[in-house]
Amino acid sequence: MDAYEQRAALAEKALEELVAKVTELEGIIQQRSNESSDGASSEELIRLRQEKEQYAAELKATKELLAKKEYQVRVLVQSLEAEEAKSAGTPTPAAAASAAASSSSATSGATTSIPKGPVVFRTDLPLDELSARVNAEFVSFARQFNPDGAYPDLRLNDGHLGRGDFAANLKGMCSRMGIKDANKFCTDLADFINPKLTPENVMKEVLTNGAFINASIHRAGIFRAAITRAAEMGDAYGTSKTQQGKRVIIEHTSSNPNGPLHIGNLRNSILGAHLAELFKAVGYEVSQHFFVNDLGAQIGLTAYGYVRIQHLKPKLKNDQWIGLIYAIMNTFNEFQKLGISLRDVHDRLQAGTLKELIAGPQSKQIEDYVDVTLDLNSRQPELVEELFKVCIDVPDVRAEAGRLNLAYENNEPEAVRVFRKMVLDCLVGVQQTLDTYNIRHDAFDFESELGWEGSNDRVLDLLRSCPFYVPQTQSNAEGKPEGGHFLMGKFIEAAGLPCGKKGYQKNYPNFYLVRPDGSTLYTCRDVVYTLKKMKQADLVFNIIASEQNLPQEKVALAVRMLKPEEQQKQYHISYELVSLLDRKMSGRRGRYVLADDLYLELKDAIRLIMKEKYEGKELANDEAFFDEVTDELATATMKYVLLQTGVKNKITIRVADVVKPESSSTASFCLYNFARTSSLFRKHQEGVEAGKYPPLSPIDRVQWELFEDDMEWELLMSLISFPSLILSIACPPLPAPPQLPEFASQKLIEFLARLVQLYSKYYKRIRVLTVRSCRPLTFSRTCIYLLVCFFYRLVKRRYCSAHVLARRRTRRCGR
């Protein structure tokens, strides 16, 4: 039995053991679920739930390991079958070693056959195949030298190509084996391996640098295998099926339907759409959801004003218009809370004496809302006047809005008509903004419908049966009304959950779900919605700003309390806020840094740069050309800026910096390189048609051995590593609560920036389209150049900027 067959047997045995363990754990969990809890004390209930949670967590980890092992075995079998079909008796190539890598330390020290033959990539992850092939070959030789070594993996050496293509540090292994001189061991090992290497091996030479083993490989075969695989897969290159069969819901955007998207909302939207594409790329079945928060005091105030001025034609996009209505209605409400009548405010506004209201102990608050009123009146005087007319004699606009809100929550037809018209009008404006970035949701889930369909009542029954739930009361221990709530601190203590560093905070606050009058709070509806999503998917991800970390943590704890067996299905992806230099936002005051406005600022800044560049040229007065280019560049810049920073870091945008075309870390630089690549394609095709250049050789006739330039190798390694990068970003480890998952979405932008910078340097060094292009070396370089360009185009369009080059039908963002 050769090395591959040994490892195949080990992998299949491990697979059988994992399947058996999954079956056993599922049986135990079912048994715990069936155990009667009638008459059980709180402590017994907690113990049963804890046992179920422990087994559920073990089951989840085992299933993840099983899925990984199944994929490895599938790779192994495919490679073995393909190799046997090609030439009977030829040792298995790279993909076969992929499954064996994890069990290589368990193989015996006996002499084994060494994998040989050309490298052929047959799976979705060529870097994994290549690494497995290199390591299988290295271990086969190394075990002949010293069968007792537990050799570490050789890893791609992307920082020091002069020291080899793959490298590993053997110092730790030597220390464990009692070998004092690790440097000499490595030198002797290299001297043993090098004479045995032939052109049929993937390794070309083994070098040493102290205790480091560095392996140089035969690059020509890797160029052939990688480019052939990329060409075969086409647009699918970069995707894999590792998560096939799993359903994911990703909730993003979910802005309040009473105002436009600001730049913080837009970070949420772009991050969500970006991750959705990455999830699809690794095989998940993805559904993007928008939770429409159409209940609450803010929405009620807005609807109360909106329905009374429908005769007034909007002067802005729907969402911006509705946002101003909310700001004005909220200002009315604040004045009334301060004891100031709307008639007095209106009369003073008309007389120009509004600032005379600023006096007394509440002068600071009054001053704030006087300033807001003057600002809103300067921007939309007609809208302010119309809202004064319909509200001036209403003694308490908040109370009237509350009654309208309650009628809507109770599904009364007239209230439903009023609310739904306003909410849908606002969502139309929001979608127009999202269309700019080609963002579409698969479902809009309305908060109000959770009550209408009975979901709230069903979950409330579950809540009330929980031993840690305290019902609402009109007189608590202090004689005050208090809403229904969970005693979260006691639950955390009883369940033995970690506290302190990397755990839950001490003296954990209660989680209020119901008002003293019995009506549900939005927190209760968040729990209801979470449970509903968890029924529809295997994993649920909610993209919500970091300021909601504690409320989201409470929701997760409530879910854990109610459904302990499913508590590891839902995760909060937290992100920090976005700001522009020297600007502040306040939705209550109608002051936002709107996504639409920032887009227009970016477009204007880019237009100024283009005007300077095209001054005196034919296109200088072509407004259609300028509109098209500035549209694309502004869209790409917004995506690039909002994705290039890790979600845990705040973003501060300076427009002048992010549009600089000369900076190598901007969207403009990336698109500039794409433009000149497109020009290269066009000129080459025109040259072929004119007989100036010969047509490109087929891939199987390219002289791969001529590719000896390190920069070409770096470009190729970018191509090979791309699918593995996608997988690592889309499938990070999912931690135990309260830790949050870290989706390093910025790594793809960093990858794109490095690739384009390398590509730009290569472009300057290599003259591709010259009369000398007919020479074999230059012609071969042309082939790899164009294929890498294709890859770059694939990265930029499919993942990094979510189809930024796709033409949009219209531009709807208004000033």
Side-chain angles (χ1 to χ4, degrees):
M1 183 180 290
D2 68 17
Y4 282 109
E5 290 172 338
Q6 291 177 30
R7 290 172 181 145
L10 285 168
E12 289 176 352
K13 183 179 178 182
L15 188 60
E16 291 173 2
E17 292 173 353
L18 287 172
V19 171
K21 188 172 182 181
V22 166
T23 303
E24 179 188 359
L25 289 170
E26 286 178 337
I28 292 172
I29 290 173
Q30 185 61 43
Q31 181 182 346
R32 292 294 187 274
S33 298
N34 293 335
E35 289 180 5
S36 174
S37 61
D38 293 342
S41 67
S42 298
E43 290 74 15
E44 289 172 324
L45 287 172
I46 292 168
R47 180 184 60 77
L48 287 173
R49 283 178 172 168
Q50 279 185 287
E51 286 184 7
K52 283 179 64 179
E53 286 179 32
Q54 290 169 359
Y55 284 117
E58 187 176 357
L59 174 61
K60 182 175 182 292
T62 305
K63 282 185 173 180
E64 289 177 353
L65 183 59
L66 173 60
K68 182 178 180 181
K69 187 64 68 178
E70 284 177 336
Y71 185 72
Q72 291 174 336
V73 170
R74 188 161 64 248
V75 170
L76 176 68
V77 172
Q78 289 174 354
S79 295
L80 284 171
E81 289 176 349
E83 202 66 22
E84 287 173 1
K86 184 176 179 182
S87 57
T90 303
T92 314
S98 179
S102 62
S103 55
S104 61
S105 61
T107 58
S108 70
T111 300
T112 58
S113 60
I114 300 171
K116 295 182 180 179
V119 175
V120 179
F121 295 140
R122 295 188 176 91
T123 72
D124 303 326
L125 303 170
L127 179 60
D128 290 7
E129 287 189 72
L130 176 59
S131 298
R133 173 69 181 266
V134 170
N135 279 289
E137 192 171 281
F138 171 70
V139 169
S140 295
F141 282 120
R143 288 196 182 282
Q144 294 178 35
F145 175 72
N146 187 324
D148 299 325
Y151 295 93
D153 286 342
L154 296 174
R155 299 186 180 277
L156 184 65
N157 191 353
D158 56 1
H160 305 282
L161 289 179
R163 299 178 183 174
D165 302 315
F166 285 79
N169 187 348
L170 270 57
K171 188 173 182 179
M173 184 198 78
C174 289
S175 177
R176 289 188 294 273
M177 293 174 64
I179 298 172
K180 294 182 179 180
D181 194 342
N183 295 4
K184 184 178 185 304
F185 179 87
C186 290
T187 301
D188 292 345
L189 176 59
D191 290 342
F192 174 82
I193 293 176
N194 282 329
K196 299 178 181 298
L197 295 176
T198 72
E200 291 188 328
N201 294 113
V202 69
M203 290 196 303
K204 180 179 180 181
E205 183 181 14
V206 176
L207 308 170
T208 64
N209 179 25
F212 280 88
I213 282 287
N214 300 280
S216 295
I217 65 177
H218 289 288
R219 292 180 174 181
I222 310 305
F223 271 99
R224 175 192 53 75
I227 295 172
T228 299
R229 185 60 176 160
E232 288 172 351
M233 293 189 69
D235 281 352
Y237 188 77
T239 65
S240 63
K241 299 178 181 178
T242 57
Q243 304 301 320
Q244 194 170 36
K246 296 180 182 178
R247 300 167 302 161
V248 164
I249 286 177
I250 181 166
E251 181 205 329
H252 64 82
T253 308
S254 299
S255 57
N256 288 336
N258 67 333
L261 293 180
H262 55 68
I263 55 173
N265 299 139
L266 190 62
R267 184 180 194 184
N268 183 312
S269 303
I270 288 180
L271 177 61
H274 180 65
L275 288 177
E277 289 295 317
L278 291 171
F279 290 155
K280 292 175 187 176
V282 296
Y284 282 121
E285 179 186 331
V286 181
S287 183
Q288 301 180 62
H289 286 230
F290 187 124
F291 187 43
V292 184
N293 304 283
D294 58 337
L295 290 175
Q298 293 184 18
I299 310 301
L301 265 177
T302 314
Y304 185 78
Y306 183 77
V307 72
R308 283 159 175 74
I309 52 109
Q310 289 188 61
H311 59 279
L312 194 63
K313 184 178 180 181
K315 304 296 191 297
L316 301 166
K317 276 178 66 203
N318 283 349
D319 53 340
Q320 296 179 19
W321 185 250
I322 291 169
L324 285 176
I325 292 172
Y326 166 63
I328 296 166
M329 292 301 298
N330 181 68
T331 304
F332 289 177
N333 174 48
E334 294 298 334
F335 274 125
Q336 288 183 335
K337 285 164 62 177
L338 292 169
I340 302 172
S341 74
L342 296 186
R343 183 170 295 280
D344 190 16
V345 174
H346 176 262
D347 291 347
R348 288 177 179 276
L349 178 64
Q350 294 296 312
T353 60
L354 189 57
K355 284 186 175 290
E356 293 178 6
L357 279 174
I358 304 171
Q362 296 177 314
S363 60
K364 182 63 177 83
Q365 293 172 279
I366 296 173
E367 182 179 11
D368 285 345
Y369 287 100
V370 164
D371 290 342
V372 171
T373 303
L374 292 171
D375 176 55
L376 291 169
N377 191 62
S378 68
R379 291 154 60 192
Q380 290 293 334
E382 186 180 4
L383 177 60
V384 171
E385 180 61 23
E386 287 297 314
L387 284 171
F388 264 120
K389 285 181 181 179
V390 297
C391 296
I392 200 164
D393 293 321
V394 178
D396 189 342
V397 292
R398 185 180 185 86
E400 292 299 320
R403 281 189 276 273
L404 180 61
N405 195 57
L406 183 60
Y408 181 57
E409 191 169 353
N410 291 333
N411 200 14
E412 295 179 14
E414 180 58 22
V416 171
R417 183 191 68 79
V418 169
F419 265 75
R420 280 300 167 95
K421 177 165 179 25
M422 183 203 75
V423 168
L424 293 178
D425 283 351
C426 188
L427 289 176
V428 167
V430 168
Q431 188 58 56
Q432 288 171 351
T433 300
L434 295 178
D435 282 345
T436 305
Y437 308 96
N438 297 307
I439 296 172
R440 289 277 173 166
H441 292 82
D442 300 297
F444 285 80
D445 302 322
F446 287 77
E447 185 179 2
S448 54
E449 293 178 5
L450 297 175
W452 300 350
E453 68 191 20
S455 295
N456 289 346
D457 292 336
R458 288 192 291 272
V459 173
L460 276 173
D461 289 339
L462 276 175
L463 296 174
R464 292 176 182 128
S465 67
C466 178
F468 299 99
Y469 182 72
V470 178
Q472 70 273 14
T473 178
Q474 294 301 315
S475 180
N476 62 11
E478 298 176 357
K480 298 178 181 179
E482 186 173 20
H485 58 278
F486 274 135
L487 299 172
M488 285 302 189
K490 288 192 175 181
F491 169 70
I492 290 169
E493 181 182 357
L497 300 179
C499 292
K501 188 176 182 181
K502 294 189 176 181
Y504 295 97
Q505 69 180 67
K506 296 179 180 179
N507 301 316
Y508 205 91
N510 294 332
F511 184 30
Y512 286 85
L513 299 152
V514 178
R515 297 184 182 92
D517 63 5
S519 59
T520 59
L521 292 164
Y522 79 92
T523 50
C524 178
R525 297 189 288 271
D526 279 349
V527 173
V528 175
Y529 184 50
T530 297
L531 293 171
K532 183 175 181 178
K533 287 183 292 184
M534 289 167 65
K535 288 182 179 178
Q536 302 170 1
D538 300 299
L539 284 171
V540 175
F541 296 105
N542 304 320
I543 301 184
I544 303 175
S546 60
E547 58 191 4
Q548 290 293 316
N549 281 3
L550 181 58
Q552 286 301 303
E553 189 176 277
K554 289 180 178 180
V555 169
L557 278 170
V559 169
R560 183 186 187 117
M561 200 182 304
L562 298 173
K563 298 281 186 179
E565 69 279 4
E566 294 187 349
Q567 53 98 11
Q568 288 187 300
K569 288 177 65 174
Q570 186 260 152
Y571 295 90
H572 171 208
I573 301 176
S574 175
Y575 69 93
E576 285 295 338
L577 304 181
V578 186
S579 62
L580 265 70
L581 288 180
D582 305 322
R583 299 196 210 173
K584 295 181 179 180
M585 291 193 297
S586 173
R588 295 178 185 274
R589 302 184 181 191
R591 277 297 180 191
Y592 317 86
V593 179
L594 298 185
D596 293 342
D597 289 347
L598 179 56
Y599 171 87
L600 292 172
E601 283 190 50
L602 290 171
K603 188 173 176 180
D604 289 343
I606 293 167
R607 181 179 289 270
L608 288 175
I609 294 171
M610 287 183 63
K611 284 289 186 183
E612 183 178 343
K613 178 179 178 180
Y614 285 94
E615 186 176 0
K617 298 180 180 180
E618 183 179 351
L619 290 172
N621 298 315
D622 189 339
E623 289 301 317
F625 166 74
F626 271 68
D627 279 341
E628 180 181 3
V629 173
T630 54
D631 273 354
E632 304 295 358
L633 284 174
T635 303
T637 297
M638 188 80 87
K639 292 177 181 178
Y640 194 100
V641 167
L642 294 179
L643 289 174
Q644 71 176 342
T645 302
V647 293
K648 287 188 173 182
N649 299 318
K650 293 182 179 180
I651 298 175
T652 301
I653 299 174
R654 182 184 174 89
V655 172
D657 291 340
V658 300
V659 299
K660 289 180 179 177
E662 67 274 11
S663 172
S664 60
S665 59
T666 62
S668 297
F669 183 76
C670 294
L671 291 177
Y672 168 72
N673 278 277
F674 175 79
R676 65 181 181 184
T677 303
S678 300
S679 175
L680 180 76
F681 276 112
R682 186 181 65 255
K683 288 180 181 178
H684 178 263
Q685 184 59 36
E686 291 171 354
V688 170
E689 293 172 358
K692 184 178 180 181
Y693 308 126
L696 289 176
S697 296
I699 290 177
D700 58 2
R701 292 176 57 190
V702 174
Q703 296 174 284
W704 306 107
E705 66 276 4
L706 296 176
F707 293 147
E708 297 178 347
D709 190 287
D710 278 351
M711 194 171 288
E712 291 168 342
W713 179 251
E714 287 185 70
L715 285 169
L716 187 74
M717 286 302 98
S718 295
L719 174 68
I720 289 177
S721 65
F722 176 59
S724 297
L725 175 68
I726 295 292
L727 183 61
S728 69
I729 298 172
C731 302
L734 297 176
Q739 299 301 303
L740 301 179
E742 295 186 23
F743 286 88
S745 56
Q746 76 280 3
K747 286 186 177 179
L748 194 52
I749 304 302
E750 292 168 359
F751 170 84
L752 175 63
R754 289 195 303 270
L755 175 62
V756 175
Q757 290 166 20
L758 178 63
Y759 172 86
S760 181
K761 291 177 182 177
Y762 183 71
Y763 183 95
K764 292 176 181 178
R765 276 186 49 191
I766 305 299
R767 296 288 298 174
V768 178
L769 293 182
T770 66
V771 177
R772 294 174 294 172
S773 291
C774 58
R775 296 195 313 175
L777 175 60
T778 310
F779 190 65
S780 297
R781 281 178 168 167
T782 302
C783 184
I784 181 63
Y785 186 94
L786 295 181
L787 285 165
V788 172
C789 289
F790 160 76
F791 162 58
Y792 155 62
R793 180 177 183 177
L794 172 69
V795 177
K796 187 184 65 59
R797 293 190 68 170
R798 188 176 181 87
Y799 302 108
C800 283
S801 44
H803 311 285
V804 67
L805 294 180
R807 295 188 183 278
R808 298 182 300 283
R809 294 183 295 277
T810 57
R811 273 291 311 142
R812 303 186 185 90
C813 292
R815 289 188 184 274

